[in-house]
Amino acid sequence: MKFLKVLINSLISGFFFSILLSLLILELNINLSFRIFFFGQLTLFLTITYGLLISLLCLVLFFIFQFISGKNIKIATVSPSFLSISFSLLIVLFLLLFKTNQDYYLSFFSPEIRNLFNSQTIILTLLAIFGLIAFYGFHRYKKNIYFFWVYFSLLGVLIIFFFYQRLNYPALSEPVKVANLDAKIIDKKLTIIGLEGLSFDFLIPLINDGKLPNFSWFVENGTWGKLETLSPSEPLALNNSFNTGKLPAKHRQISIFKYLLLNPNAEIEIFPHYTFFRQLERLGLLRITANQSAPITKDIWEIFKDNDISYLKRDWPYQRGKASPSEKTEKLFHSFFQELQYETSDVFNKLQEAFFRDYEFEEKVMEDKIQTQPQLVYFLLNGLNIVETYFYKYSFPDLFGDINQEEINKYSSVIEKYYQFYDLIIGKYLASMKEDELLIIYSPHGIEPLPLWKRVVERFLGNPDVSAYHENAPEGVVFFYGKSIAKGKNIEGTRLIDIAPTLLYYLGLLVGKDMDGIVRSSIFVDEFTAENPVPYIFSYDEVTIKKKPK
């Protein structure tokens, strides 16, 4: 009978935690409107998954505590003492999850929402403390039930208040066209090369060793520095922030997936980080599909198109099938990785596939560039990011400590040679630059070693070769080179969202005041900035650009 009573109280605690988790999911999903029916579905789903786990935890902890205390603890079918303690401890657990997700999804939230989160954090902290006070007061002052009445009443009111806050999230309004703007004639040229995963942790030592002559040229003759990225450093969010100069809080492109719960009408875009939510798919409790949400704000490519600027754009998403390398591609690969020509391991296959895809993709871009002669060229390669994910541990074995020496000898130079491969690519574009052309090399994020706990998780999930990631938004890199660019200058504080407004400024176009990024005028020579003050417009979303008749 006692076990049943503890189980009932534990289930109530699990249900309470599911309510908190449902609220967190609704707050993370900034594109989702609040609906009571959906909230009920979501809470039910979480109750039969995470709620049951929390219930089991409460059940086990109760009997462990009883065993350690050496007392036969009495408990009611619905015990205010049990629930006040368990609710307080679960609120503390939830606060850790809440703060972690606030930090991880920081770029998703407007200042208004961040202020809302701060107030919720304070309220939840006070609730956790007051739950302990109610428990103490009840047992200290002749079991006065008044303490619990006050606590649970306050708890209910504040949970309803959280509902109200989510219901009144800042609404996303459709932009209204209020003015016309004449298109401008642009005669400048621009090439942007995105090399995902570039990091100064590798670049600086290799440049100092004379192994990257073209990157060295950029350092000596251009402007360069670290590029502050966004958290989360997911491709869709980063790509749209690069293209719009706005944080995800404004462009609202936050997930490439939709997570379908219970039925197709119950779907979310974002799940709490560190909850292993996606693993529910393995249990058949979750269905993951592609997210086809349409953009809601104008990006620089639409602005270029409206101004009749021709461009060649080949970036994310990577719509590339399995590489079918030409003889030329295979020959180049073997020239870089000759010592691995007889290798057949899975990790080697990832290296080979990444190289083939990158090289074939870049060759096609160059072919299209020569054929169409656009003013702007932009392409993004992701092979290095893949290679670093699997080979990082061989470059820094001291950080891992459990690697076979034979594998270190075999793979320790793989990332270095991939950097040399990228150095060869940028050399082609450096050599073909026009006098009025600006060349930009950038990486939207860097790379860092996988911590021990995450390595254990990856092994458990069947990915034992993974040794690096960019989940915590390590800084990327950016290089600028051209006749208008300052030479040999190292800049600090450049952000991914600064590139779009800086490009608009360089091309002589208006810069949107609603952009979160700013014009990095310090990269240009003084003569250029003196002759070109920054021109502004409130928002491109509110104007129609009228093309000039041909």
Side-chain angles (χ1 to χ4, degrees), residues 297-309:
T297 189
K298 187 176 289 188
D299 63 24
I300 57 174
W301 304 104
E302 292 179 80
I303 298 169
F304 295 157
K305 184 178 179 180
D306 289 342
N307 284 278
D308 280 330
I309 301 174

Side-chain angles (χ1 to χ4, degrees), residues 511-529:
V511 177
K513 286 186 177 180
D514 63 334
M515 291 181 173
D516 296 300
I518 63 173
V519 174
R520 289 291 169 180
S521 56
S522 61
I523 71 171
F524 299 101
V525 295
D526 293 339
E527 295 81 4
F528 184 86
T529 54

Side-chain angles (χ1 to χ4, degrees), residues 134-404:
F135 178 85
Y136 175 79
F138 175 77
H139 290 279
R140 176 70 176 81
Y141 297 101
K142 300 179 181 180
K143 297 188 177 182
N144 190 337
I145 198 68
Y146 173 77
F147 288 98
F148 289 135
W149 275 112
V150 173
Y151 171 65
F152 289 110
S153 297
L154 184 62
L155 183 67
V157 169
L158 291 177
I159 292 295
I160 293 173
F161 176 66
F162 289 167
F163 283 140
Y164 174 77
Q165 286 187 313
R166 179 57 181 87
L167 191 63
N168 289 277
Y169 252 29
L172 182 65
S173 58
E174 288 289 332
V176 178
K177 303 296 182 183
V178 296
N180 293 325
L181 186 68
D182 290 332
K184 293 192 66 173
I185 298 175
I186 307 297
D187 57 4
K188 294 186 175 74
K189 291 184 177 294
L190 173 66
T191 297
I192 308 170
I193 303 176
L195 303 175
E196 193 176 352
L198 283 181
S199 169
F200 280 119
D201 291 343
F202 288 97
L203 279 170
I204 296 301
L206 293 175
I207 289 173
N208 290 337
D209 290 343
K211 295 179 178 180
L212 302 176
N214 293 306
F215 279 108
S216 179
W217 173 269
F218 275 99
V219 170
E220 295 173 4
N221 297 279
T223 294
W224 55 279
K226 293 181 178 179
L227 186 67
E228 295 178 10
T229 188
L230 307 175
S231 180
S233 57
E234 296 296 331
L236 180 69
L238 295 185
N239 188 64
N240 280 278
S241 291
F242 176 90
N243 290 334
T244 62
K246 299 177 181 179
L247 295 169
K250 287 184 180 176
H251 65 64
R252 298 294 183 114
Q253 298 292 295
I254 61 175
S255 176
I256 60 174
F257 299 113
K258 286 190 302 185
Y259 303 91
L260 307 182
L261 317 173
L262 302 178
N263 66 66
N265 294 320
E267 60 186 41
I268 62 175
E269 292 179 300
I270 298 299
F271 56 88
H273 203 44
Y274 302 118
T275 58
F276 305 102
F277 196 86
R278 290 190 62 176
Q279 303 311 314
L280 296 176
E281 184 184 25
R282 299 188 178 195
L283 303 176
L285 299 174
L286 184 71
R287 189 157 61 91
I288 303 175
T289 63
N291 190 356
Q292 304 294 335
S293 60
I296 63 168
T297 189
K298 187 176 289 188
D299 63 24
I300 57 174
W301 304 104
E302 292 179 80
I303 298 169
F304 295 157
K305 184 178 179 180
D306 289 342
N307 284 278
D308 280 330
I309 301 174
S310 59
Y311 62 82
L312 173 65
K313 179 174 177 281
R314 300 287 186 270
D315 63 340
W316 190 91
Y318 311 109
Q319 296 175 340
R320 313 173 197 174
K322 186 174 176 61
S324 300
S326 64
E327 183 178 340
K328 177 184 176 183
T329 305
E330 290 188 320
K331 184 177 180 181
L332 182 65
F333 176 80
H334 291 303
S335 72
F336 276 102
F337 304 101
Q338 185 176 7
E339 70 281 4
L340 300 177
Q341 59 182 313
Y342 301 114
E343 193 63 27
T344 59
S345 65
D346 289 341
V347 71
F348 169 77
N349 291 336
K350 288 181 171 63
L351 163 65
Q352 189 178 57
E353 182 69 17
F355 186 98
F356 289 167
R357 285 160 62 97
D358 272 357
Y359 184 74
E360 296 280 342
F361 185 76
E362 185 279 321
E363 284 279 288
K364 185 63 169 64
V365 170
M366 179 60 83
E367 180 184 321
D368 293 343
K369 176 186 176 183
I370 294 171
Q371 183 177 351
T372 60
Q373 292 295 311
Q375 287 178 256
L376 276 61
V377 176
Y378 171 38
F379 67 93
L380 179 64
L381 303 179
N382 74 324
L384 176 63
N385 185 56
I386 295 172
V387 170
E388 287 175 326
T389 298
Y390 293 96
F391 288 87
Y392 190 96
K393 60 186 175 184
Y394 302 116
S395 295
F396 299 99
D398 293 343
L399 299 177
F400 296 86
D402 58 347
I403 308 172
N404 184 284

